[in-house]
Amino acid sequence: MSFFKDLSFSAVVAGFVTVLVGFSSSGILIFQAAQVLGANPAQTSSWLWALCMGMAVTSIGLSLRYQTPIITAWSTASAAMLISIASSLTMAEAIGAFVLSSVLISLAGFTGAFERVMARVPMSIAAAMLAGILLRFGIGAFTAINTQPLMVLAMLGVYLLTRQIQPRYAVLGALLVGVMIAQAQGLLHFRQLQFSMVHPTWVMPHFSIHSVIGVAVPLFLVTMASQNMAGAAAIKTFGYNAPISPIVGWTGIANLVFAPFGAFSINLAAITAAICLGREAHEDKRKRYVAAVFAGMFY
């Protein structure tokens, strides 16, 4: 198979870093959104399981199908929105909103409506969208100096040095240094960590006018505007010509399948996608899809 011929250690690292960044940047919002809806521990775990399984299936399947690094993610903006507006909903109503939003995303994808909108977005605007999203995280690294100066400066130094020697492993080098410093400072706490299997929890969807108008439609709009639009822009900016319409359509189908278990939004990634789309994943852009496949495996 061409996949094994295209396999590289840098792609595996890129896939791992992609998942790590995804969880560390906004994973806590999933727990908060579930808790606002009154989810018990089993349901909260089910939410995370459903999102990870949906992202795994789509990242692996779509990347292999189109030989393009297609990274999917949960919508950070959608999770934040749920935290602010979902307190008046029952869990069943929220699940119903997730289902309806998934249907709308599938329709927008398979009908070509979304890609027709994207076709009207100039390349310069697409690049600016991606730059605007990544800028916030770049600036955030420097604001963290106020609380952890040693860790941030050490990680930055290792990153810049490794970029000159082995650019593909610059992020991994910074990560390893950060973990060692955190361990030395006593910031890592694993003693109470317990592992157990997740038991997916099905919740029967319930549809109401309030959940449809107040959650489903805003969820669809936020997912398409803040995530799928930016994700498609990232793919376009890095020079890939993957068919966006079916890709978005299949993310909607995956979301629909896993929605009753708590998947509120499975969509194209933008921030984490850049890790697999760039040269750090592989010098040859035709082989970078392997990084996305491994990201799916880690999810």
Side-chain angles (χ1 to χ4, degrees):
M1 293 179 63
S2 61
F3 174 79
F4 294 104
K5 294 180 181 179
D6 296 338
L7 185 62
S8 65
F9 181 66
S10 61
V12 177
V13 171
F16 173 73
V17 172
T18 295
V19 175
L20 184 68
V21 171
F23 273 98
S24 60
S25 62
S26 61
I28 188 63
L29 295 179
I30 299 173
F31 294 94
Q32 292 176 345
Q35 290 168 1
V36 167
L37 289 165
N40 57 39
Q43 290 172 326
T44 302
S45 298
S46 181
W47 276 43
L48 193 59
W49 173 86
L51 289 166
C52 286
M53 291 300 294
M55 293 185 297
V57 169
T58 49
S59 294
I60 294 172
L62 294 172
S63 296
L64 290 174
R65 169 64 179 84
Y66 297 108
Q67 299 288 289
T68 298
I70 306 295
I71 295 293
T72 55
W74 59 71
S75 171
T76 301
S78 296
M81 184 192 73
L82 284 174
I83 294 172
S84 63
I85 69 175
S87 58
S88 60
L89 295 176
T90 65
M91 177 65 73
E93 286 178 320
I95 295 298
F98 301 167
V99 169
L100 181 56
S101 175
S102 303
V103 172
L104 294 175
I105 291 172
S106 298
L107 290 174
F110 288 128
T111 60
F114 177 70
E115 195 160 13
R116 286 194 293 272
V117 173
M118 279 300 301
R120 297 178 179 274
V121 179
M123 178 64 75
S124 57
I125 298 297
M129 289 172 59
L130 180 61
I133 293 172
L134 298 177
L135 178 64
R136 176 168 59 91
F137 283 81
I139 295 175
F142 292 95
T143 58
I145 293 178
N146 294 327
T147 55
Q148 291 292 338
L150 174 61
M151 182 184 298
V152 174
L153 291 175
M155 293 177 68
L156 178 61
V158 169
Y159 175 81
L160 295 175
L161 179 62
T162 312
R163 284 284 297 181
Q164 300 300 317
I165 304 172
Q166 287 288 342
R168 297 179 188 174
Y169 308 118
V171 175
L172 180 62
L175 170 65
L176 293 176
V177 169
V179 170
M180 288 188 292
I181 293 177
Q183 178 64 34
Q185 293 180 338
L187 300 176
L188 299 180
H189 307 285
F190 294 120
R191 294 181 180 178
Q192 297 181 348
L193 185 63
Q194 297 180 348
F195 292 95
S196 61
M197 295 297 293
V198 174
H199 298 284
T201 303
W202 171 283
V203 176
M204 182 61 68
H206 175 72
F207 302 95
S208 66
I209 296 297
H210 174 57
S211 65
V212 170
I213 298 176
V215 180
V217 174
L219 185 62
F220 163 70
L221 294 175
V222 168
T223 300
M224 297 301 289
S226 70
Q227 290 289 153
N228 282 333
M229 187 76 75
I235 295 172
K236 185 177 180 181
T237 300
F238 279 91
Y240 291 96
N241 295 313
I244 299 299
S245 288
I247 289 173
V248 170
W250 283 114
T251 63
I253 294 296
N255 204 158
L256 179 62
V257 171
F258 291 101
F261 299 98
F264 57 88
S265 177
I266 297 172
N267 42 247
L268 292 177
I271 299 166
T272 51
I275 299 172
C276 293
L277 288 165
R279 296 179 63 182
E280 287 75 11
H282 202 283
E283 192 69 26
D284 187 347
K285 64 180 294 186
R286 295 172 298 178
K287 299 181 179 181
R288 295 173 191 169
Y289 75 95
V290 175
V293 172
F294 271 94
M297 292 180 181
F298 286 120
Y299 273 126

